[in-house]
Amino acid sequence: MKVLVTGAAGFIGHALTRALMARGDEVIGIDNLNPYYDPALKHARVADLAGIATGAFDFLPLDFADYPGLVAALEGRAFDAIVHLGAQAGVRYSIDNPHAYVQSNLVGHLNILELARARGTGHCVYASSSSVYGNSTKSPFSVDTRVDHPVSLYAATKKADELMSETYAHLYRLPMTGLRFFTVYGPWGRPDMALWKFTRAILQDQPIDVYNHGDMRRDFTYIDDIIAGVIAVLDHPPADDGAAKPGGSISPHAVYNIGNNQPEPLGRMIDVVEAACGKPAIRNLLPMQPGDVHETYADISAIQTDLGYAPTTSIDTGIPRFVDWYRTYHQL
């Protein structure tokens, strides 16, 4: 199979591209290598992909929010499916930089939908987010729950992406699958995420900011479990059979949660990081930040039933793997 992967230099995009190449697939990777976090990490991920012997990797440094540039770059390049992971990430950053989210997550998503329509793409898988659930009191979070009350612009753009995808599945019968990711972590992760920040601070004997005084729970999901789910979804496009799909669509459009189905208290997560680092954290207890949520908890029954998805990695295993990678990457 030949797959177009957007955000290929990102955390999940890099891991997915590795996995696709490992099974012999060809990948066209797109990324604009923006400076939201240190582009050196993104360049390192691309360099890592270039060293893989199996499959094939064709990297295009471009911004998919530029539709003429996107079309021109892909002229003469065929692909069977799209996995659209590229986006402006980050809940808190969206409060200060809303225009970046509209450009990347709304304009950019529309461009990918138009590309899929023009090419007659067999399946378009796209990244949504657990953030769409906001402060839902129904736990665990089900894909059949209404998500009409986002608490950040980032979450609102991801919900909008789901709605646009539903429209294209309905109008053009494009097979679409949206994936609501839950707190992904692991080697090659993102510096703006709590695990990276905590690890760096603990190893440098600096304090860590613990929001809501530590009274938070997250459904931490290890990167390998995420990728297993993404590939299972990619290989099984939703049927255009009029039957209701997860998320409620009767068009060829499914929405799945991909999480660990095991929310962990923030305090326990920090305990595991401390043990992996071999030293205690200096905890700076703070109130809840605007746009943040108290708990994320994935109901994964839909993807379990349809595709056999079964995450296997606990934070007791996954966090030490990340800390070991972090030490290696930074030569500590």
Side-chain angles (χ1 to χ4, degrees):
M1 188 188 322
K2 195 163 191 175
V3 185
L4 175 67
V5 177
T6 71
F11 175 31
I12 301 176
H14 163 259
L16 175 63
T17 300
R18 280 191 66 94
L20 290 172
M21 291 174 67
R23 71 176 194 173
D25 289 340
E26 297 179 54
V27 177
I28 303 169
I30 290 174
D31 203 294
N32 68 351
L33 303 164
N34 74 40
Y36 168 63
Y37 60 80
D38 187 359
L41 176 60
K42 301 178 183 183
H43 285 284
R45 293 188 187 122
V46 173
D48 177 68
L49 294 172
I52 298 174
T54 54
F57 182 52
D58 182 11
F59 181 67
L60 304 175
L62 62 90
D63 185 354
F64 55 76
D66 171 14
Y67 190 65
L70 176 67
V71 172
L74 291 173
E75 187 175 354
R77 290 177 165 90
F79 46 86
D80 307 300
I82 299 172
V83 182
H84 178 39
L85 301 173
Q88 178 56 60
V91 169
R92 294 161 188 158
Y93 188 71
S94 70
I95 295 172
D96 298 324
N97 298 274
H99 291 93
Y101 289 77
V102 170
Q103 186 68 12
S104 183
N105 299 6
L106 298 184
V107 174
H109 189 78
L110 175 64
N111 288 348
I112 296 301
L113 292 175
E114 276 291 283
L115 178 68
R117 181 185 67 82
R119 292 292 191 97
T121 302
H123 191 193
C124 182
V125 180
Y126 65 93
S128 185
S129 168
S130 63
S131 297
V132 301
Y133 292 107
N135 279 310
S136 175
T137 58
K138 295 182 179 180
S139 187
F141 302 159
S142 167
V143 293
D144 294 317
T145 300
R146 291 187 64 128
V147 287
D148 298 330
H149 304 285
V151 297
S152 69
L153 181 68
Y154 170 71
T157 63
K158 287 301 186 179
K159 173 59 179 173
D161 290 346
E162 294 181 3
L163 293 173
M164 286 192 282
S165 299
E166 170 66 13
T167 302
Y168 272 66
H170 168 71
L171 289 175
Y172 308 115
R173 316 317 295 178
L174 281 172
M176 307 284 304
T177 304
L179 302 177
R180 293 175 178 171
F181 293 121
F182 281 71
T183 316
V184 188
Y185 75 99
W188 292 101
R190 280 175 26 206
D192 62 317
M193 299 292 284
L195 178 56
W196 185 298
K197 291 180 176 180
F198 290 173
T199 299
R200 179 180 59 207
I202 291 171
L203 291 175
Q204 294 178 354
D205 298 314
Q206 298 294 318
I208 63 172
D209 290 338
V210 182
Y211 294 102
N212 206 36
H213 303 279
D215 182 20
M216 301 172 76
R217 287 156 56 91
R218 290 290 181 270
D219 201 340
F220 296 103
T221 314
Y222 190 65
I223 185 64
D224 290 1
D225 291 328
I226 288 286
I227 297 307
V230 174
I231 288 180
V233 165
L234 175 64
D235 290 345
H236 294 87
D240 190 6
D241 56 4
K245 312 298 187 296
S249 177
I250 59 172
S251 298
H253 180 210
V255 177
Y256 291 113
N257 289 331
I258 298 192
N260 202 43
N261 192 229
Q262 181 64 54
E264 297 282 0
L266 181 58
R268 192 176 107 73
M269 175 264 205
I270 296 171
D271 292 343
V272 178
V273 180
E274 290 176 327
C277 291
K279 58 172 67 177
I282 305 167
R283 306 189 191 198
N284 180 30
L285 302 182
L286 297 170
M288 183 77 91
Q289 282 201 315
D292 220 338
V293 298
H294 175 255
E295 179 184 67
T296 63
Y297 183 1
D299 176 348
I300 59 173
S301 57
I303 193 170
Q304 280 181 322
T305 300
D306 290 356
L307 302 173
Y309 175 70
T312 60
T313 312
S314 70
I315 62 171
D316 299 283
T317 299
I319 287 177
R321 287 179 184 170
F322 168 78
V323 173
D324 287 346
W325 171 85
Y326 182 94
R327 290 179 187 274
T328 301
Y329 180 76
H330 292 282
Q331 299 179 331
L332 299 177

